[in-house]
């Protein structure tokens, strides 16, 4: 009877062990050494020579390259350390246990015996090659792309006997900024937008021969050159277009725009791509790239503020495209309108896992019969947003709700009521509706509403008092001895909601400051900085906001990397001791800001 | 009276478990084993055919224990069996030093606190330590499970020496 059936079975079910006979697996299992490592333990550091190959029996290992970029996670059954042993070189990656892990170690001699089996050797080598390609960051070394891969369409050409006007017409029709001129099969010239500018400036007739306006014998590039060569040629010759040749045959053209577009995950590209989509499915596909974009920005060490601004800007472009599409389908709007974002998108503070909050301000000449149009518009956009990954707002703060789709005057009355007769519902609404930003349509409708609110709010002391009290209700998740207060049960047991307990209270404090002093800023950072000019103490709060925002994005980024749906619940135990300490500090800053509000607004005397 | 019908052992060297040291053998107690045999999927015939005599079994266990400390979960059971067998066969009373993962586990969970009744069971403690669940149920799997739990508890309690482990368990 095999003493190690449990171990042999585990290995036999996995590659590369499954390539061996049961007897061989059993013999190798005899040589494994069990080890237990705590979460946070570095098992093998980049630059160190491995003393063993490890199999992850349980737990999880995080793989980070020498620059600190997260490369991958190894889960149950994965092997690591073997490549360095086989090639007798130091490890390129740092392997850290991110959960308490049980590892089986195999000595270098055992590994060398293992790879004496050709199938095993091939498995390890191929896995490593797959790794090498996987480790190229999104859009990675874009300048190594062959020119042939950049050419997206057959070359648009015109014969040398055509007129300037004919060439311009073909360019216009094909929506291109340059056209190639041929004689027989040979490329003889190029006519660009810049040449046409000269034609117009010198009052040359459109019926004049093309050959007089074009650049003769243009610079060209071989189809097997790299994007890097394209960049160098364009810069060197101060041009924007390069014909691509296969020997003497013309195969296409690359432009400076194509080079920029190579940077596939750049935020500019995502926004540009959204503008080019004609259907919701296409928009959803582009939006699916956003989580990866966040991961990339985190690796580039962008701040939480910058990342959320880019995410917000992308969402904004999506909304704008959807509203254009809605209008194309429904026809022109019967009266002017302004589509506004509420909440985090309005503040330019969107992270991943956001729902949708929006409203419609209509011009005051809107008639009841016009509502059908705007209702259809709201339904169209809301449904499309769901398809693009933004769930409907649970509190129904959406333009599909007739309460939040009305003329400017009605909005002004609504806000006046909230400010003058604060009810708990008004206070609740304020956290959404006082963070508002125009996205599409007539922005003056928004400005009119905002100015009125900012004029009235500073005098509404009862309302501000209620707001301050409400901001104080949010419980910061630290308890006695500064331990974290985590969820006691349910799906998120042992985790804390970093948004509800940390980020939202800061947002609330900043909003109260904005209303108290009538500040037009909508972003939390903008509001706090402006409040500082009125004497508010905001330095620590700004830091805490950035830290909590960054921690949340990092958490969501690694969730995305693991293929999970991002959310706001963080297990403090998964953070480093350093980050845990900072998290506690950030939470106590939030708690202090809350009690400072109590003093400022004397909340204890209200209700 | 219960009889030992199978013995599973694995070495722990420092905080490492050389899996090749895992051994499992059957013991023929010399009487029919009845019900407990069904649980362990062993039959009297098998025990008769392959089982070691109680004397042989003791020799093998103490041979392995030489220079080592007995590690077990709820070690009183093992110690009781071993001491009783020694007494029966050789008429002497012996002391067996042990490290008990139940005691270490209780310390890791906190002595003063209330714990659910089964919180100190081997499998429950393993789940808390993030250790895998094993399907098999034989003596060597239990030995391996206990050894792995010991590594986890040693980390949890920052144990660096065996002496500490003995004192704390």
């Amino acid at each position: 009877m095999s003493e190690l059936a449990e171990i042999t079975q585990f290995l036999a079910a996995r590659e590369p062990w499954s390539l061996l006979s049961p007897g061989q697996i059993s013999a190798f299992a005899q040589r494994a050494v069990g080890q237990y490592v705590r979460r946070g333990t570095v098992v093998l550091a980049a630059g160190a020579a491995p003393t063993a190959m490890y199999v992850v029996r349980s737990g999880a290992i995080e793989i980070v390259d020498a620059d600190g970029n997260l490369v991958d996670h190894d889960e149950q059954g994965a092997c690591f350390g073997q490549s360095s042993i086989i090639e007798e070189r130091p490890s390129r990656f740092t392997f850290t246990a991110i959960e308490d892990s049980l590892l089986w170690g195999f000595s270098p001699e055992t590994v060398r015996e293992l790879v004496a089996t050709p199938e095993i050797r091939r498995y390890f080598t191929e896995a490593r090659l797959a790794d090498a390609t996987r480790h190229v960051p999104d859009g990675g070394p874009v300048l190594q792309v062959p020119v042939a891969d950049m050419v997206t369409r057959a070359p648009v050409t015109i014969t040398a006997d055509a007129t300037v006007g004919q060439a311009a017409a073909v360019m216009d029709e094909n929506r291109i900024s340059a056209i190639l001129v041929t004689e027989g099969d040979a490329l003889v010239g190029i006519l660009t937008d810049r040449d046409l500018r000269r034609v117009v400036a010198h009052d040359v007739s459109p019926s004049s021969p093309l050959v007089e306006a074009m650049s003769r014998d243009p610079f060209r590039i071989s189809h097997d050159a790299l994007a890097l060569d394209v960049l160098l040629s364009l810069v060197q010759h101060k041009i924007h277009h390069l014909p691509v040749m296969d020997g003497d045959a013309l195969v296409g053209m690359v432009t400076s725009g194509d080079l920029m577009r190579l940077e596939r995950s750049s935020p500019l590209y995502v926004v540009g791509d959204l503008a080019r989509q004609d259907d919701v499915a296409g928009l959803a596909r582009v939006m699916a790239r956003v989580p990866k974009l966040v991961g990339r920005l985190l690796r580039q060490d962008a701040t939480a503020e910058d990342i959320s601004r880019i995410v917000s800007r992308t969402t904004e472009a999506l909304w704008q495209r959807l509203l254009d599409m809605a209008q194309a389908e429904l026809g022109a709007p019967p009266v002017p309108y302004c589509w506004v974002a509420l909440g985090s998108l309005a503040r330019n503070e969107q992270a991943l896992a956001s729902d949708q909050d929006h409203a419609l301000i209509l011009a005051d000449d809107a008639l009841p019969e016009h509502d059908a149009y705007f209702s259809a518009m709201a339904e169209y956009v809301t449904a499309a947003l769901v398809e693009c990954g933004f769930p409907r707002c649970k509190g129904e703060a959406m333009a599909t709700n007739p309460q939040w789709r009305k003329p400017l005057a009605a909005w002004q009355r609504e806000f006046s009521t909230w400010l003058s007769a604060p009810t708990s519902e008004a206070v609740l609404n304020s956290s959404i509706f006082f963070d508002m930003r125009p996205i599409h349509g007539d922005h003056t409708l928004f400005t009119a509403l905002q100015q009125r609110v900012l004029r009235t709010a500073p005098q509404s002391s009862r309302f501000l008092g209620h707001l301050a009290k409400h901001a104080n209700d949010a419980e910061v998740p630290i308890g006695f001895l500064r331990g974290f207060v985590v969820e006691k049960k349910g799906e998120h047991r042992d985790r804390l909601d970093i948004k509800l307990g940390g980020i939202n209270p800061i947002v609330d404090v900043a909003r109260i400051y904005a209303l108290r002093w009538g500040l037009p800023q909508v972003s939390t950072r903008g509001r706090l900085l402006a409040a500082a000019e009125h004497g508010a103490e905001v330095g620590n709060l700004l830091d805490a906001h950035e830290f909590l925002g960054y921690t949340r994005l990092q958490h969501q980024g690694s969730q995305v990397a693991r293929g999970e749906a991002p959310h706001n619940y963080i297990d403090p135990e998964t953070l480093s001791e350093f980050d845990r300490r900072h998290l506690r500090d950030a939470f106590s800053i939030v708690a202090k800001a809350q009690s400072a509000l109590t003093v400022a607004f004397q909340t204890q005397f209200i209700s | 009276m219960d009889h030992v019908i199978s013995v599973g052992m694995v070495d722990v060297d420092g905080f490492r478990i050389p899996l090749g040291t895992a051994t499992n053998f059957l013991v023929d107690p010399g009487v029919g084993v009845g019900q407990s045999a069904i649980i362990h999927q062993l039959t009297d015939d098998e025990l008769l055919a392959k089982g070691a005599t109680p004397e042989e079994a003791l020799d093998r266990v103490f041979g392995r224990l030489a220079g080592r400390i007995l590690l077990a979960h709820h070690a009183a059971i093992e110690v009781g069996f071993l001491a009783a067998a020694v007494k029966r066969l050789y008429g002497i009373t012996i002391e067996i030093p042990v490290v008990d993962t139940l005691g270490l586990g209780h310390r890791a969970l906190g002595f003063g606190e209330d714990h659910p009744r089964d919180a100190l069971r081997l499998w429950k403690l393993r789940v808390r330590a993030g250790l895998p669940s094993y399907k098999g149920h034989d003596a060597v799997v239990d030995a391996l499970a206990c050894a792995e739990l010991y590594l986890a508890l040693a980390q949890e309690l920052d144990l660096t020496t065996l002496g500490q482990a003995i004192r704390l368990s």
Side-chain angles (χ1 to χ4, degrees):
Chain A
M1 124 197 257
S2 165
E3 261 77 28
L4 295 160
E6 198 72 46
I7 293 147
T8 310
Q9 279 164 19
F10 180 84
L11 293 176
R14 287 167 174 80
E15 287 192 304
W17 311 93
S18 53
L19 302 167
L20 298 170
S21 72
Q24 286 173 304
I25 300 173
S26 175
F28 277 112
Q30 299 274 349
R31 301 168 67 171
V33 176
Q35 271 173 273
Y36 183 87
V37 290
R38 290 300 301 266
R39 169 191 303 146
T41 308
V42 174
V43 183
L44 172 60
T51 53
M53 170 181 92
Y54 295 97
V55 172
V56 183
R57 176 58 185 86
S58 65
I61 302 291
E62 180 185 74
I63 309 170
V64 168
D65 69 17
D67 297 329
N69 297 321
L70 178 66
V71 167
D72 205 357
H73 289 92
D74 268 351
E75 313 251 311
Q76 184 165 302
C79 305
F80 65 93
Q82 69 279 359
S83 310
S84 320
I85 291 174
I86 297 169
E87 291 171 16
E88 300 186 330
R89 54 162 175 76
S91 174
R92 274 201 275 270
F93 303 108
T94 296
F95 298 85
T96 308
I98 50 169
E99 288 170 22
D100 296 341
S101 301
L102 180 63
L103 306 176
W104 289 339
F106 292 87
S107 71
E109 299 79 71
T110 311
V111 173
R112 279 189 279 273
E113 274 176 53
L114 193 58
V115 297
T117 307
E119 289 82 8
I120 302 262
R121 186 172 195 95
R122 202 171 311 132
Y123 172 83
F124 281 139
T125 330
E126 278 172 10
R128 198 173 68 254
L129 291 179
D131 279 357
T133 47
R134 186 178 56 198
H135 301 334
V136 172
D138 324 314
V142 288
L143 295 176
Q144 300 300 316
V145 172
V147 169
D149 290 354
M150 297 172 63
V151 174
T152 52
R153 62 194 287 180
V156 180
T157 60
I158 193 162
T159 51
D161 56 3
T163 65
V164 170
Q166 284 167 333
V170 177
M171 287 166 68
D172 185 45
E173 190 184 319
N174 286 284
R175 289 189 289 168
I176 51 174
S177 55
I179 192 165
L180 298 169
V181 185
T182 54
E183 244 171 30
D185 284 338
L187 173 68
V188 295
I190 185 169
L191 184 79
T192 69
D193 275 354
R194 211 194 304 184
D195 300 319
L196 287 175
R197 210 151 59 216
R198 219 164 28 230
V199 165
V200 177
H202 295 124
D203 213 9
V204 176
S205 157
S207 59
S208 60
L210 164 62
V211 288
E212 289 174 15
M214 73 180 188
S215 313
R216 285 179 185 278
D217 205 12
F219 294 105
R220 46 197 90 186
I221 194 156
S222 166
H223 72 295
D224 55 9
L226 299 180
L228 176 67
D229 304 313
V230 174
L231 176 66
L232 291 172
S233 290
L234 296 179
V235 171
Q236 183 188 0
H237 304 304
K238 300 198 185 79
I239 54 176
H240 297 284
H241 306 85
L242 271 178
V244 180
M245 312 299 292
D246 182 356
D248 286 335
L250 179 62
V251 294
M253 182 155 64
V254 289
T255 67
S256 46
D258 294 335
L259 264 187
M260 284 198 287
R261 228 161 284 138
L262 272 183
E263 188 80 353
R264 283 204 44 98
S265 338
S266 111
L268 281 175
Y269 189 75
V270 172
V271 169
D273 251 7
L274 287 171
R276 267 193 295 281
Q277 301 304 316
D278 291 321
D279 56 21
V280 177
L283 289 168
R285 271 196 303 277
V286 177
M287 289 307 288
R289 303 215 304 264
V290 171
K292 273 196 144 174
L293 168 67
V294 169
R296 183 192 164 105
L297 291 165
L298 282 165
R299 286 196 294 278
Q300 289 168 349
D301 220 14
T303 63
E305 153 120 18
D306 287 342
I307 297 173
S308 356
R309 183 183 295 273
I310 288 168
V311 172
S312 305
R313 183 67 190 79
T314 308
T315 309
E316 186 179 332
L318 170 70
W319 288 25
Q320 286 164 342
R321 183 73 197 108
L322 284 174
L323 282 156
D324 281 339
M325 281 161 56
Q327 229 162 287
E329 191 160 308
L330 301 170
V335 293
Y337 71 91
C338 184
W339 182 281
V340 295
L342 310 171
S344 63
L345 179 57
R347 296 191 306 270
N348 273 317
E349 286 165 11
Q350 213 166 43
L352 301 176
S354 290
D355 56 4
Q356 38 171 322
D357 307 284
H358 40 72
L360 262 172
I361 308 171
L362 308 180
D364 278 334
D365 48 0
L367 299 170
E369 57 264 38
H370 293 150
D371 190 59
Y373 176 93
F374 292 109
S375 166
M377 171 186 258
E379 289 296 345
Y380 180 97
V381 173
T382 302
L385 283 175
V386 169
E387 229 179 294
C388 292
F390 296 88
R392 299 172 70 95
C393 167
K394 288 193 194 75
E396 290 293 317
M398 295 183 296
T400 44
N401 183 345
Q403 204 185 347
W404 312 130
R405 181 177 74 233
K406 54 193 173 189
L408 174 62
W411 275 110
Q412 287 175 329
R413 274 196 304 281
E414 184 88 64
F415 274 89
S416 297
T417 313
W418 289 341
L419 289 168
S420 60
T423 61
S424 54
E425 195 200 346
V427 169
L428 213 62
N429 283 334
S430 76
S431 66
I432 307 166
F433 287 92
F434 283 84
D435 298 350
M436 187 185 273
R437 188 164 63 89
I439 298 292
H440 201 263
D442 183 353
H443 289 207
T444 60
L445 291 168
F446 162 77
T447 315
L449 178 59
Q450 189 196 32
Q451 279 172 354
R452 170 90 163 257
V453 171
L454 293 180
R455 257 199 324 275
T456 329
Q459 279 91 55
S460 312
S461 48
R462 251 171 52 84
F463 175 77
L464 291 175
H466 275 276
L467 219 53
K469 182 172 181 301
H470 175 73
N472 231 327
D473 288 343
E475 280 188 32
V476 174
I478 43 174
F480 289 120
L481 296 171
R482 310 216 316 149
F484 294 109
V485 177
V486 291
E487 302 281 313
K488 293 287 183 292
K489 52 182 190 298
E491 189 193 346
H492 297 297
R493 201 188 147 165
D494 294 330
R495 302 188 197 146
L496 55 86
D497 187 338
I498 194 168
K499 179 175 180 232
L500 199 68
I503 297 172
N504 283 0
I506 302 180
V507 169
D508 289 343
V509 168
R511 183 184 307 109
I512 292 170
Y513 284 150
L515 293 173
R516 175 189 190 180
W517 287 302
L519 310 171
Q521 284 81 2
V522 184
S523 79
T524 299
R525 186 178 170 79
R527 283 171 167 173
L528 289 174
L529 286 172
E533 295 184 12
H534 290 269
E537 288 284 345
V538 302
N540 285 337
L541 220 44
L542 282 168
D543 292 343
H545 187 243
E546 170 65 27
F547 177 78
L548 294 170
Y550 194 81
T551 306
R552 164 166 72 164
L553 283 169
Q554 219 169 19
H555 161 71
Q556 295 186 336
S558 51
Q559 282 188 301
V560 170
R562 289 195 298 269
E564 300 167 8
H567 58 60
N568 291 308
Y569 288 88
I570 288 182
D571 177 357
E573 294 298 313
T574 61
L575 300 175
S576 69
E577 182 51 43
F578 180 81
D579 280 346
R580 266 206 299 276
R581 198 165 63 232
H582 275 74
L583 191 60
R584 275 192 289 267
D585 287 348
F587 282 137
S588 54
I589 288 166
V590 175
K592 259 187 222 143
Q594 284 182 324
S595 44
L597 268 191
T598 313
V599 177
F601 291 90
Q602 298 292 307
T603 24
Q604 61 269 44
F605 296 119
I606 295 171
S607 75
Chain B
M1 180 185 167
D2 286 337
H3 299 280
V4 174
I5 56 166
S6 81
V7 174
M9 292 183 287
V10 66
D11 289 356
V12 179
D13 292 339
F15 298 110
R16 298 155 66 87
I17 307 168
L19 298 182
T21 62
T23 44
N24 204 10
F25 61 89
L26 301 177
V27 183
D28 174 13
V31 295
V33 292
Q35 270 310 106
S36 80
I38 297 165
I39 299 168
H40 294 91
Q41 296 178 336
L42 299 168
T43 62
D44 289 347
D45 288 346
E46 258 185 296
L47 294 181
L48 277 174
K50 302 182 196 164
T53 64
E55 288 88 346
E56 284 165 352
L58 273 191
D59 281 353
R60 289 176 73 167
V61 171
F62 283 110
R64 282 286 283 279
L65 266 178
R68 293 180 177 271
I69 300 289
L70 178 69
L71 170 68
H73 195 76
H74 197 3
I77 306 257
E78 279 78 359
V79 169
F81 267 120
L82 288 172
V86 169
K87 179 87 183 168
R88 195 168 60 245
L89 292 169
Y90 306 108
I92 54 167
T93 307
I94 56 160
E95 287 276 328
I96 302 171
V98 293
V99 170
D100 193 339
T101 45
L102 188 140
L104 292 176
H106 198 180
R107 182 174 291 275
L109 291 184
F111 276 131
E113 294 161 40
D114 261 354
H115 301 293
R117 270 184 50 195
D118 59 354
L120 294 173
R121 299 185 73 114
L122 176 63
W123 301 103
K124 281 281 177 183
L125 286 168
R126 281 179 62 91
V127 169
R128 286 193 72 118
L131 289 165
S133 56
Y134 289 143
K135 287 184 284 296
H137 181 74
D138 60 24
V140 75
V141 170
D142 283 348
L144 185 62
C146 173
E148 288 169 350
L149 177 62
Y150 169 69
L151 299 197
L153 289 169
Q155 294 270 329
E156 174 68 30
L157 297 168
D158 282 329
L159 302 184
T160 48
T161 67
L162 195 53
Q164 276 179 309
I166 297 170
R167 272 194 310 283
L168 293 180
S169 74

